Amino acid sequence: MSNVYTLFEDCSRHGNSFILSPNGEPLYTYADLREESARYAHLLKQAGVAPGDRVMVQVQKSPQNLFLYFGCLRAGAIYLPLNTAYTEDELTYFIGNASPSVIVAEDTRTGFFESASDARVFSLSAEGTGTLVDQLPTQPVTPYTAEVDGDDPAVILYTSGTTGRPKGAMITHDNLASNGLTLLDAWQWQAGDVLLHALPIFHIHGLFVATHLAVLNASPMIFLSGFDPAKVIENLPRATVYMGVPTNYVRLLATGDLTPETCGNMRLFTAGSAPLLPQTFTAFHEATGHEIVERYGMTETGMNTSNPLDGERKPGTVGPPLPGVETQIVDENDAPVPSGETGYLKVRGKNVFKGYWQMPEKTAEEFDAEGYFRTGDMASCDDDGYVSIVGRGKDLIISGGLNVYPKELEGIIDRMPGVLESAVIGLPHPDFGEGVCAVIVPSGDVTLEEAELISELKIKVANFKVPKWVYFVDALPRNTMGKVQKNVLRDQFTPAGDN
Ligand code: AMP
């Protein structure tokens, strides 16, 4: 397999509607996808983008954003989507690291991007207007898909780890093809399926898992600009497949409007990106008659495991490894642990990424001698081969389905006047699953005010990373090796009633 776009086009050629409005009306067809993506590919080429060049995109969700994505694949460029919540400080790092040749952003951000980079900058609004779209009418619709190697990166997605510095995960054309086809089969996509799409498309869940599968199955998708429980429930009767993060399911249940009738046409609900609580699984089943299919994946690997379509779906587990994906659970010495015991989860397969952009040493560290990738997640596996994600070795916090990396925030907080050191942890939050909590040791030279600290952080980082709780302490608890004991802090500061 070479350019994954060819696979998407071959699979979707017989499809009719591609994007439906939130009222279920047809907006774009698969023929439109072919034409529009060709125009974008020509436009990028004309703008000087060569295969392998990075196209950085920070825009609101829109059909045009999707056409641009497929156009990038066709041009052989590396698509690099960014969360719209990122601040200028964060963007400056991404620009320096990725050296994009084209940047597409909202109108309000183009000035910043122009001053911060040498890239050609275009605008694209949530309504699908802007200087990018202005260029389209003069572009040909003649098919154009660049030759690439299947092992070339198609997308770079930034993700962080213990270093706190975001790393660009290079996901290849072959990775995308392999994971898409595996899921198409595992989730038994079929004629007549309609996807209800309410996820962001700057992340693997909304872009690779949701969009790719609709296209590979030539299915229409009802395209919502974001997650709105009322809109999702209104559209469920028109859909057969819905994919959400656990918080979405909690919010849908909270409306009290979910019934077996609203889900009468539905075939499949999937959840992932964070743990789905067994209580949510059970409450959803009681309300709708459907058992959510929980799956597990990550930016670097795509999807690794899934509960089965046929067979038992076990709440609290993420199911067995998908076909073609090998998993190993090992102890600190890399020795496999017995079934039922917790260890570090490693995965291997065609779904696993190529490495971190311009970080060969970091890449080498994360792969073992047999080519297994160290996920950083702690897991166990039962006698039936079902994997449970027990915790995150890397102390990642997932708040409302979005990742917050403690190390990154600690670095920023530690540099603030009046701070000696800090530890950032995740605490149970009724709405977001986890909320960010900062535990700070004051240096004593300046009086620290929580409100000031928070407003300073709001300038520096995206809102979802800003701590929901701040505590001041005299010292951080440490083990004999000098490591901060975050588990002790979590126990100490977990709000009463959440233990
Ligand atoms: P991301 O790279 O943003 O997709 O985040 C990946 C991380 O999300 C994984 O390493 C896991 O820690 C977590 N994750 C994803 N799916 C699940 C799940 N079903 N249960 C528990 N954690 C999950």
Side-chain angles (χ1 to χ4, degrees):
M1 185 72 58
S2 51
N3 195 320
V4 68
Y5 173 79
T6 312
L7 175 72
F8 289 129
E9 183 167 321
D10 289 349
C11 289
S12 62
R13 192 161 273 286
H14 67 277
N16 183 14
S17 283
F18 171 39
I19 296 182
L20 307 177
S21 75
N23 312 320
E25 279 151 24
L27 285 181
Y28 296 99
T29 62
Y30 277 101
D32 294 329
L33 172 61
R34 289 191 291 278
E35 284 191 8
E36 292 297 302
S37 60
R39 283 189 210 271
Y40 278 103
H42 284 294
L43 192 163
L44 291 170
K45 194 176 172 196
Q46 197 189 66
V49 174
D53 283 358
R54 276 74 56 213
V55 174
M56 184 178 273
V57 179
Q58 193 196 30
V59 297
Q60 300 288 337
K61 182 177 179 182
S62 67
Q64 286 69 26
N65 183 185
L66 279 186
F67 296 143
L68 169 64
Y69 165 58
F70 287 102
C72 274
L73 292 179
R74 294 188 79 162
I78 304 179
Y79 183 72
L80 199 161
L82 294 173
N83 189 330
T84 42
Y86 282 128
T87 65
E88 294 186 357
D89 276 5
E90 292 165 307
L91 295 172
T92 304
Y93 168 76
F94 296 131
I95 293 166
N97 186 253
S99 326
S101 27
V102 160
I103 298 178
V104 182
E106 278 166 69
D107 225 6
T108 48
R109 274 270 161 86
T110 50
F112 160 76
F113 279 116
E114 267 155 1
S115 62
S117 80
D118 302 329
R120 180 102 186 259
V121 180
F122 295 98
S123 65
L124 177 62
S125 73
E127 292 73 41
T129 58
T131 57
L132 185 75
V133 180
D134 293 345
Q135 308 275 324
L136 285 184
T138 54
Q139 300 299 327
V141 292
T142 42
Y144 162 60
T145 303
E147 275 293 319
V148 297
D149 193 285
D151 194 40
D152 287 341
V155 178
I156 289 179
L157 285 171
Y158 276 97
T159 173
S160 300
T162 40
T163 62
R165 263 306 189 198
K167 305 182 292 277
M170 295 185 282
I171 298 139
T172 68
H173 287 261
D174 281 353
N175 292 152
L176 298 178
S178 141
N179 211 225
L181 293 174
T182 300
L183 291 173
L184 196 68
D185 199 42
W187 291 344
Q188 300 174 15
W189 279 73
Q190 47 199 253
D193 269 342
V194 177
L195 173 74
L196 177 51
H197 195 307
L199 289 162
I201 52 174
F202 52 71
H203 186 267
I204 52 161
H205 198 165
L207 189 59
F208 300 164
V209 188
T211 307
H212 281 186
L213 286 166
V215 175
L216 289 173
N217 199 53
S219 288
M221 49 185 183
I222 304 168
F223 204 60
L224 305 187
S225 55
F227 175 78
D228 172 343
K231 283 229 170 71
V232 169
I233 289 175
E234 188 188 312
N235 276 288
L236 280 176
R238 300 185 190 114
T240 66
V241 180
Y242 175 78
M243 299 181 182
V245 297
T247 320
N248 297 157
Y249 287 103
V250 172
R251 295 219 176 146
L252 287 173
L253 282 165
T255 63
D257 294 334
L258 277 178
T259 61
E261 290 70 43
T262 47
C263 301
N265 202 26
M266 288 295 297
R267 182 179 72 76
L268 173 66
F269 288 94
T270 70
S273 294
L276 178 76
L277 296 179
Q279 303 89 286
T280 311
F281 176 93
T282 307
F284 196 83
H285 186 217
E286 281 167 7
T288 66
H290 285 272
E291 289 186 337
I292 300 170
V293 171
E294 184 173 6
R295 90 312 179 265
Y296 157 76
M298 63 193 300
T299 301
E300 288 93 332
T301 64
M303 299 303 108
N304 296 307
T305 72
S306 173
N307 271 282
L309 268 265
D310 300 324
E312 193 186 354
R313 300 176 193 171
K314 294 190 193 179
T317 81
V318 293
L322 285 159
V325 181
E326 294 170 279
T327 56
Q328 257 188 21
I329 301 176
V330 297
D331 63 17
E332 286 96 45
N333 305 317
D334 249 0
V337 300
S339 124
E341 284 189 21
T342 298
Y344 297 91
L345 180 65
K346 301 196 291 187
V347 298
R348 184 167 74 173
K350 285 192 178 145
N351 54 311
V352 177
F353 77 136
K354 189 183 170 92
Y356 296 111
W357 174 254
Q358 291 185 333
M359 292 187 183
E361 280 128 45
K362 190 76 207 157
T363 303
E365 267 172 41
E366 304 295 351
F367 283 89
D368 74 7
E370 291 167 348
Y372 277 90
F373 172 66
R374 302 179 209 279
T375 64
D377 287 314
M378 312 290 298
S380 64
C381 184
D382 70 12
D383 289 335
D384 300 328
Y386 283 58
V387 175
S388 295
I389 304 298
V390 177
R392 296 179 299 274
K394 291 175 183 171
D395 278 323
L396 174 72
I397 301 166
I398 301 184
S399 191
L402 295 168
N403 290 356
V404 183
Y405 299 91
K407 215 54 191 194
E408 180 194 8
L409 284 178
E410 288 159 5
I412 295 170
I413 296 171
D414 289 354
R415 287 197 295 275
M416 291 181 166
V419 175
L420 182 67
E421 61 172 347
S422 65
V424 168
I425 51 172
L427 294 181
H429 187 285
D431 207 9
F432 297 106
E434 279 184 302
V436 177
C437 168
V439 185
I440 296 175
V441 184
S443 62
D445 351 323
V446 196
T447 316
L448 275 177
E449 295 293 347
E450 180 178 342
E452 260 177 47
L453 210 122
I454 293 288
S455 48
E456 189 63 26
L457 280 171
K458 281 190 172 160
I459 300 170
K460 293 204 151 67
V461 296
N463 229 2
F464 66 87
K465 300 181 192 171
V466 174
K468 302 212 165 10
W469 303 274
V470 176
Y471 296 107
F472 296 101
V473 295
D474 292 335
L476 296 175
R478 289 179 190 275
N479 68 12
T480 46
M481 302 301 289
K483 280 188 190 293
V484 176
Q485 292 168 301
K486 291 200 167 175
N487 52 337
V488 174
L489 288 175
R490 278 186 210 109
D491 290 345
Q492 190 178 344
F493 291 111
T494 292
D498 277 319
N499 286 297

